[in-house]
Amino acid sequence: MDATEPCLIPLDEKDLFTFSCHPQVSCFNECCQDLHQVLTPEDIIRLKHYLRMNSGEFLARYTQHHDGPETGLPVVTLKPGGPTGLLCPFVSPEGCRVYPARPVSCRLYPVARAVTRSRETGLLTELYALIREPHCKGFLEGSAWDIRQWIENQLDTDMLSSGDRMMSIISLKNQHKPGPLDIVSKRLFHLACYDVDGLREKVLSKSMPGNFQVDARRLDAARTDDWALLEIGYEWVCKILLAPEETSPP
């Protein structure tokens, strides 16, 4: 393996690692210079709240979009902030400018988390690895952590479970609509999952495609609550956009 490339070391729940990151570490901010940051719908809501922007403005200014090569679903990533290279748009010499609202994958670093879903049972399995990058000196100091201790220290309790909703959506798509989505479906998926303020207009005007009903209580909550609105967006994707094609009777 190239000594200049990061490596992933599988972690069991009881494995310990030592890590600390702060401005006095000589490599401070270097991990933000090579950006490949995928954003979840939940990441976007936290960031746009912190920056006091609507979702459309945030997406246009800070993100770029492409299709996931394995899922065929739209993926949103942070747009590099410099004219060259892959600098995070939110990094400064003093550190992260959006630290309280940073994405979940940033919070977990240097731990990487992947989730697999069993086709037979639907149960989720968590897999963890330690990201070792040649430049990182954070492993040379700090406390010893196991995975659960690290997660509890870095995340609010619901951050992982809410972010795992996308796994259910990917599983549903693979089952009912494998392959790439058409252009209209991609736009609607992006609206329902990533652009909550654009979704709000559609939901409140009852103009989302399909026979999709939202009860008055949830509709009222969605007027001001982005999290309630995202749940409606997820539900629309599952029940309408990714619903199995109707088959004609023989």
Side-chain angles (χ1 to χ4, degrees), residues 124-185:
L124 296 178
T125 299
E126 297 176 302
L127 302 173
Y128 290 95
L130 198 63
I131 306 169
R132 293 299 300 259
E133 298 185 274
H135 69 259
C136 184
K137 304 298 189 295
F139 295 100
L140 302 179
E141 57 180 273
S143 302
W145 309 86
D146 63 29
I147 292 172
R148 290 302 160 192
Q149 291 169 338
W150 184 252
I151 290 173
E152 290 172 3
N153 182 264
Q154 299 296 318
L155 304 181
D156 293 334
T157 54
D158 64 339
M159 283 184 174
L160 288 183
S161 59
S162 63
D164 287 345
R165 288 292 302 276
M166 193 58 70
M167 284 299 304
S168 300
I169 290 174
I170 291 171
S171 177
L172 189 66
K173 180 187 179 299
N174 290 340
Q175 181 181 356
H176 294 153
K177 293 193 174 181
L181 297 176
D182 60 59
I183 292 176
V184 173
S185 295

Coordinates of all heavy atoms in Angstrom, one line a residue, residues 124-185:
L124 N -30.3 -4.0 10.2 CA -29.1 -3.2 9.9 C -27.9 -3.8 10.7 O -28.0 -4.1 11.9 CB -29.3 -1.7 10.3 CG -30.3 -1.0 9.5 CD1 -30.4 0.5 9.9 CD2 -30.0 -1.0 8.0
T125 N -26.8 -3.9 10.1 CA -25.5 -4.2 10.7 C -24.5 -3.1 10.6 O -24.3 -2.6 9.5 CB -24.9 -5.5 10.1 OG1 -25.9 -6.6 10.2 CG2 -23.6 -5.9 10.8
E126 N -23.9 -2.7 11.7 CA -23.0 -1.6 11.7 C -21.5 -2.2 11.5 O -21.2 -3.1 12.2 CB -23.1 -0.8 13.0 CG -24.4 -0.1 13.2 CD -24.4 0.6 14.5 OE1 -24.3 -0.1 15.5 OE2 -24.6 1.8 14.5
L127 N -20.8 -1.6 10.7 CA -19.4 -1.9 10.5 C -18.5 -0.7 10.8 O -18.9 0.4 10.3 CB -19.1 -2.5 9.1 CG -19.9 -3.7 8.7 CD1 -19.7 -4.0 7.2 CD2 -19.6 -4.9 9.5
Y128 N -17.4 -0.8 11.5 CA -16.6 0.3 11.8 C -15.1 0.1 11.4 O -14.6 -1.1 11.4 CB -16.6 0.6 13.3 CG -18.0 1.1 13.8 CD1 -19.0 0.3 14.3 CD2 -18.3 2.5 13.7 CE1 -20.2 0.8 14.7 CE2 -19.5 3.0 14.1 CZ -20.5 2.1 14.6 OH -21.7 2.6 15.0
A129 N -14.5 1.2 11.1 CA -13.0 1.1 10.8 C -12.4 2.4 11.3 O -13.0 3.4 11.4 CB -12.8 0.9 9.3
L130 N -11.1 2.3 11.6 CA -10.3 3.5 11.9 C -9.6 4.0 10.7 O -8.9 3.2 10.0 CB -9.3 3.1 13.0 CG -8.6 4.2 13.8 CD1 -9.7 4.9 14.7 CD2 -7.6 3.6 14.7
I131 N -9.8 5.3 10.4 CA -9.1 5.9 9.3 C -7.7 6.4 9.7 O -7.6 7.3 10.6 CB -9.9 7.1 8.7 CG1 -11.3 6.7 8.4 CG2 -9.2 7.7 7.5 CD1 -12.3 7.9 8.2
R132 N -6.7 5.8 9.2 CA -5.3 6.2 9.5 C -4.7 6.9 8.3 O -4.5 6.3 7.3 CB -4.4 5.0 9.9 CG -4.8 4.3 11.2 CD -4.7 5.3 12.4 NE -3.4 5.8 12.6 CZ -2.5 5.3 13.5 NH1 -2.9 4.3 14.3 NH2 -1.4 5.9 13.7
E133 N -4.6 8.2 8.4 CA -4.0 9.0 7.3 C -2.5 9.4 7.7 O -2.3 9.7 8.9 CB -4.8 10.3 7.1 CG -6.2 10.0 6.6 CD -7.0 11.3 6.3 OE1 -7.5 11.9 7.2 OE2 -7.0 11.6 5.1
P134 N -1.6 9.3 6.8 CA -0.2 9.5 7.1 C 0.1 10.9 7.8 O 1.0 10.9 8.6 CB 0.5 9.4 5.7 CG -0.4 8.6 4.9 CD -1.8 9.0 5.3
H135 N -0.7 11.9 7.4 CA -0.4 13.2 8.0 C -0.9 13.4 9.5 O -0.4 14.3 10.2 CB -1.0 14.3 7.2 CG -2.5 14.3 7.3 ND1 -3.3 13.8 6.3 CD2 -3.3 14.8 8.2 CE1 -4.6 13.9 6.7 NE2 -4.6 14.5 7.8
C136 N -1.8 12.5 9.9 CA -2.5 12.7 11.1 C -1.7 12.4 12.4 O -1.2 11.3 12.5 CB -3.8 11.9 11.1 SG -4.8 12.3 12.6
K137 N -1.5 13.4 13.2 CA -0.8 13.3 14.5 C -1.7 13.1 15.7 O -1.3 13.0 16.8 CB 0.2 14.5 14.7 CG 1.1 14.7 13.6 CD 2.1 13.5 13.3 CE 3.2 13.9 12.3 NZ 2.6 14.1 11.0
G138 N -3.0 13.1 15.4 CA -4.0 13.1 16.5 C -4.0 11.7 17.3 O -4.4 11.7 18.4
F139 N -3.4 10.7 16.6 CA -3.3 9.4 17.3 C -2.2 9.3 18.3 O -2.1 8.4 19.0 CB -3.1 8.3 16.2 CG -4.2 8.1 15.3 CD1 -4.2 8.7 14.0 CD2 -5.4 7.4 15.7 CE1 -5.3 8.5 13.1 CE2 -6.4 7.3 14.8 CZ -6.4 7.8 13.5
L140 N -1.4 10.4 18.4 CA -0.2 10.3 19.3 C -0.5 10.9 20.7 O 0.3 10.9 21.5 CB 0.9 11.1 18.7 CG 1.4 10.7 17.3 CD1 2.5 11.6 16.8 CD2 1.8 9.2 17.4
E141 N -1.8 11.4 20.9 CA -2.1 11.9 22.2 C -3.6 11.7 22.4 O -4.4 11.2 21.6 CB -1.8 13.4 22.2 CG -2.5 14.3 21.1 CD -2.1 15.7 21.3 OE1 -2.7 16.4 22.0 OE2 -1.1 16.1 20.6
G142 N -4.0 12.2 23.6 CA -5.5 12.1 24.0 C -5.8 10.9 24.7 O -5.0 10.1 25.1
S143 N -7.1 10.7 25.0 CA -7.6 9.6 25.7 C -7.8 8.3 24.9 O -7.8 8.4 23.6 CB -9.0 10.0 26.3 OG -8.9 11.1 27.1
A144 N -8.0 7.2 25.5 CA -8.3 6.0 24.8 C -9.8 5.8 24.8 O -10.5 6.0 25.7 CB -7.7 4.8 25.5
W145 N -10.3 5.5 23.6 CA -11.7 5.3 23.3 C -12.0 4.0 22.7 O -11.3 3.4 22.0 CB -12.2 6.4 22.3 CG -11.8 7.8 22.6 CD1 -10.7 8.4 22.3 CD2 -12.6 8.8 23.3 NE1 -10.7 9.7 22.7 CE2 -11.9 10.0 23.3 CE3 -13.9 8.8 23.9 CZ2 -12.3 11.2 23.9 CZ3 -14.3 9.9 24.4 CH2 -13.6 11.1 24.5
D146 N -13.2 3.5 23.0 CA -13.8 2.4 22.2 C -14.9 3.1 21.3 O -15.2 4.3 21.5 CB -14.3 1.2 23.0 CG -15.5 1.6 23.9 OD1 -16.3 2.5 23.6 OD2 -15.7 0.9 24.9
I147 N -15.4 2.3 20.4 CA -16.4 2.9 19.4 C -17.5 3.6 20.1 O -17.9 4.7 19.8 CB -16.9 1.8 18.4 CG1 -15.7 1.4 17.6 CG2 -18.0 2.4 17.6 CD1 -16.1 0.2 16.7
R148 N -18.2 2.9 21.1 CA -19.4 3.4 21.7 C -19.0 4.7 22.5 O -19.8 5.7 22.5 CB -20.0 2.4 22.6 CG -20.6 1.2 21.8 CD -21.7 1.7 20.8 NE -22.0 0.8 19.8 CZ -22.7 1.0 18.7 NH1 -23.2 2.2 18.5 NH2 -22.9 0.1 17.8
Q149 N -17.9 4.7 23.2 CA -17.5 5.9 23.9 C -17.3 7.1 23.0 O -17.7 8.2 23.3 CB -16.3 5.6 24.7 CG -16.4 4.7 25.9 CD -15.1 4.2 26.5 OE1 -14.1 4.3 25.8 NE2 -15.1 3.8 27.7
W150 N -16.7 6.8 21.8 CA -16.4 7.9 20.9 C -17.7 8.4 20.3 O -17.9 9.6 20.2 CB -15.5 7.3 19.8 CG -15.1 8.4 18.8 CD1 -15.6 8.5 17.5 CD2 -14.2 9.5 19.0 NE1 -15.0 9.6 16.9 CE2 -14.1 10.2 17.7 CE3 -13.4 9.9 20.0 CZ2 -13.3 11.3 17.6 CZ3 -12.6 11.0 19.9 CH2 -12.5 11.7 18.7
I151 N -18.6 7.5 19.9 CA -19.9 8.0 19.4 C -20.7 8.8 20.4 O -21.2 9.9 20.0 CB -20.7 6.8 18.9 CG1 -20.1 6.1 17.6 CG2 -22.2 7.2 18.6 CD1 -20.7 4.9 17.2
E152 N -20.8 8.3 21.6 CA -21.5 9.1 22.6 C -20.9 10.4 22.9 O -21.6 11.4 23.2 CB -21.6 8.3 23.9 CG -22.4 7.0 23.8 CD -22.3 6.1 25.0 OE1 -21.6 6.5 26.0 OE2 -23.0 5.1 25.0
N153 N -19.5 10.6 22.8 CA -18.9 11.8 23.0 C -19.1 12.8 21.8 O -19.1 14.0 22.0 CB -17.4 11.6 23.2 CG -16.6 12.8 23.5 OD1 -16.0 13.4 22.6 ND2 -16.6 13.2 24.7
Q154 N -19.2 12.3 20.6 CA -19.2 13.1 19.4 C -20.6 13.4 18.9 O -20.8 14.4 18.2 CB -18.4 12.5 18.3 CG -17.0 12.3 18.7 CD -16.2 13.6 18.9 OE1 -16.4 14.6 18.2 NE2 -15.4 13.6 19.9
L155 N -21.6 12.6 19.2 CA -22.9 12.7 18.5 C -24.0 12.8 19.5 O -24.0 12.3 20.6 CB -23.2 11.5 17.6 CG -22.2 11.1 16.5 CD1 -22.7 9.8 15.8 CD2 -22.0 12.2 15.6
D156 N -25.1 13.5 19.1 CA -26.4 13.4 19.8 C -26.9 12.0 19.6 O -26.7 11.4 18.5 CB -27.4 14.5 19.3 CG -26.9 15.9 19.7 OD1 -26.1 16.0 20.7 OD2 -27.3 16.8 19.0
T157 N -27.8 11.5 20.5 CA -28.2 10.1 20.4 C -29.0 9.8 19.2 O -28.9 8.6 18.7 CB -29.1 9.8 21.7 OG1 -30.2 10.8 21.7 CG2 -28.3 10.0 22.9
D158 N -29.7 10.7 18.5 CA -30.5 10.3 17.4 C -29.8 10.5 16.1 O -30.4 10.3 15.0 CB -31.8 11.1 17.4 CG -31.6 12.6 17.3 OD1 -30.5 13.1 17.5 OD2 -32.5 13.3 16.9
M159 N -28.6 11.0 16.0 CA -28.0 11.4 14.8 C -27.8 10.2 13.9 O -28.0 10.2 12.6 CB -26.7 12.1 15.0 CG -26.9 13.6 15.4 SD -25.3 14.4 15.5 CE -25.9 16.1 15.8
L160 N -27.3 9.0 14.4 CA -27.1 7.9 13.6 C -28.4 7.2 13.1 O -28.5 6.9 11.9 CB -26.2 6.8 14.4 CG -24.8 7.2 14.6 CD1 -24.1 6.0 15.3 CD2 -24.0 7.5 13.3
S161 N -29.3 7.1 14.0 CA -30.6 6.4 13.6 C -31.3 7.2 12.6 O -31.9 6.6 11.6 CB -31.5 6.2 14.8 OG -31.8 7.4 15.5
S162 N -31.4 8.6 12.7 CA -32.1 9.4 11.7 C -31.3 9.3 10.3 O -32.0 9.2 9.3 CB -32.2 10.8 12.1 OG -30.9 11.4 12.3
G163 N -30.0 9.3 10.4 CA -29.3 9.2 9.1 C -29.4 7.9 8.4 O -29.2 7.8 7.2
D164 N -29.7 6.8 9.1 CA -29.9 5.5 8.5 C -31.1 5.3 7.7 O -31.3 4.3 7.1 CB -29.8 4.4 9.6 CG -28.4 4.2 10.2 OD1 -27.5 4.7 9.6 OD2 -28.3 3.6 11.3
R165 N -32.0 6.3 7.7 CA -33.2 6.2 6.9 C -32.9 6.0 5.5 O -33.6 5.4 4.7 CB -34.1 7.5 7.1 CG -34.8 7.6 8.5 CD -35.8 6.5 8.6 NE -36.9 6.6 7.6 CZ -37.9 7.4 7.7 NH1 -38.0 8.3 8.7 NH2 -38.8 7.5 6.7
M166 N -31.8 6.6 5.0 CA -31.5 6.5 3.6 C -31.2 5.1 3.2 O -31.4 4.7 2.1 CB -30.3 7.4 3.3 CG -30.0 7.6 1.8 SD -31.4 8.3 0.9 CE -31.4 10.0 1.5
M167 N -30.7 4.3 4.2 CA -30.4 2.9 3.9 C -31.7 2.1 3.5 O -31.8 1.3 2.6 CB -29.8 2.2 5.1 CG -28.3 2.5 5.3 SD -27.3 2.0 3.8 CE -27.7 0.2 3.7
S168 N -32.8 2.5 4.2 CA -34.1 1.9 3.8 C -34.6 2.3 2.5 O -35.1 1.5 1.7 CB -35.2 2.3 4.9 OG -34.8 1.9 6.2
I169 N -34.3 3.5 2.1 CA -34.7 4.0 0.8 C -33.9 3.4 -0.3 O -34.4 3.0 -1.3 CB -34.5 5.6 0.8 CG1 -35.6 6.2 1.6 CG2 -34.6 6.1 -0.7 CD1 -35.5 7.7 1.8
I170 N -32.6 3.2 -0.1 CA -31.7 2.5 -1.1 C -32.2 1.1 -1.2 O -32.3 0.6 -2.4 CB -30.3 2.6 -0.6 CG1 -29.8 4.0 -0.7 CG2 -29.4 1.6 -1.5 CD1 -28.4 4.2 -0.1
S171 N -32.5 0.4 -0.2 CA -33.0 -1.0 -0.2 C -34.3 -1.1 -1.0 O -34.5 -2.0 -1.9 CB -33.2 -1.5 1.2 OG -33.7 -2.8 1.1
L172 N -35.2 -0.1 -0.8 CA -36.5 -0.1 -1.5 C -36.3 0.2 -3.0 O -36.9 -0.5 -3.8 CB -37.4 1.0 -0.9 CG -38.8 1.1 -1.4 CD1 -39.6 -0.2 -0.9 CD2 -39.5 2.3 -0.8
K173 N -35.4 1.1 -3.3 CA -35.1 1.3 -4.7 C -34.5 0.1 -5.4 O -34.9 -0.2 -6.5 CB -34.2 2.5 -4.9 CG -33.9 2.8 -6.3 CD -32.8 3.9 -6.5 CE -32.5 4.1 -8.0 NZ -32.0 2.9 -8.7
N174 N -33.6 -0.5 -4.8 CA -33.0 -1.7 -5.4 C -34.0 -2.8 -5.6 O -33.9 -3.6 -6.6 CB -31.9 -2.3 -4.5 CG -30.7 -1.4 -4.4 OD1 -30.4 -0.5 -5.3 ND2 -29.8 -1.5 -3.4
Q175 N -35.0 -2.8 -4.8 CA -36.0 -3.9 -4.9 C -37.0 -3.5 -6.0 O -37.4 -4.4 -6.8 CB -36.8 -4.0 -3.5 CG -37.9 -5.1 -3.5 CD -38.6 -5.1 -2.2 OE1 -38.2 -4.4 -1.3 NE2 -39.6 -5.9 -2.1
H176 N -37.5 -2.3 -6.1 CA -38.6 -1.9 -7.0 C -38.1 -1.2 -8.2 O -38.8 -1.4 -9.3 CB -39.6 -1.1 -6.2 CG -40.3 -1.7 -5.1 ND1 -40.8 -1.1 -4.0 CD2 -40.5 -3.1 -4.9 CE1 -41.4 -2.0 -3.2 NE2 -41.2 -3.2 -3.7
K177 N -37.0 -0.4 -8.2 CA -36.6 0.3 -9.3 C -35.1 0.3 -9.5 O -34.4 1.4 -9.3 CB -37.1 1.8 -9.2 CG -38.7 1.9 -9.3 CD -39.1 3.3 -9.5 CE -40.6 3.3 -9.7 NZ -41.1 4.7 -10.0
P178 N -34.5 -0.8 -9.8 CA -33.1 -0.9 -10.0 C -32.7 -0.1 -11.2 O -33.4 0.2 -12.1 CB -32.8 -2.4 -10.2 CG -34.1 -2.9 -10.7 CD -35.2 -2.1 -10.0
G179 N -31.4 0.4 -11.2 CA -30.9 1.2 -12.3 C -31.1 2.7 -12.0 O -31.7 3.1 -11.0
P180 N -30.7 3.5 -13.0 CA -30.8 5.0 -12.8 C -32.3 5.4 -12.9 O -33.1 4.8 -13.6 CB -30.0 5.5 -14.0 CG -30.0 4.4 -15.0 CD -30.0 3.1 -14.3
L181 N -32.5 6.5 -12.2 CA -33.8 7.2 -12.3 C -33.9 8.1 -13.5 O -32.9 8.5 -14.0 CB -34.1 8.0 -11.0 CG -34.2 7.3 -9.7 CD1 -34.3 8.3 -8.5 CD2 -35.3 6.3 -9.6
D182 N -35.1 8.3 -14.0 CA -35.2 9.3 -15.1 C -35.0 10.7 -14.5 O -35.0 10.9 -13.3 CB -36.6 9.2 -15.8 CG -37.8 9.4 -14.8 OD1 -37.8 10.5 -14.2 OD2 -38.6 8.5 -14.7
I183 N -34.9 11.7 -15.4 CA -34.5 13.0 -15.0 C -35.5 13.6 -14.0 O -35.2 14.3 -13.0 CB -34.3 13.9 -16.2 CG1 -33.1 13.5 -17.0 CG2 -34.2 15.4 -15.8 CD1 -32.9 14.3 -18.3
V184 N -36.8 13.5 -14.3 CA -37.9 14.0 -13.5 C -37.8 13.4 -12.1 O -37.9 14.1 -11.1 CB -39.3 13.8 -14.1 CG1 -40.4 14.2 -13.2 CG2 -39.4 14.6 -15.4
S185 N -37.7 12.1 -12.0 CA -37.6 11.4 -10.7 C -36.4 11.8 -9.9 O -36.5 12.0 -8.7 CB -37.6 9.9 -11.0 OG -38.8 9.4 -11.6

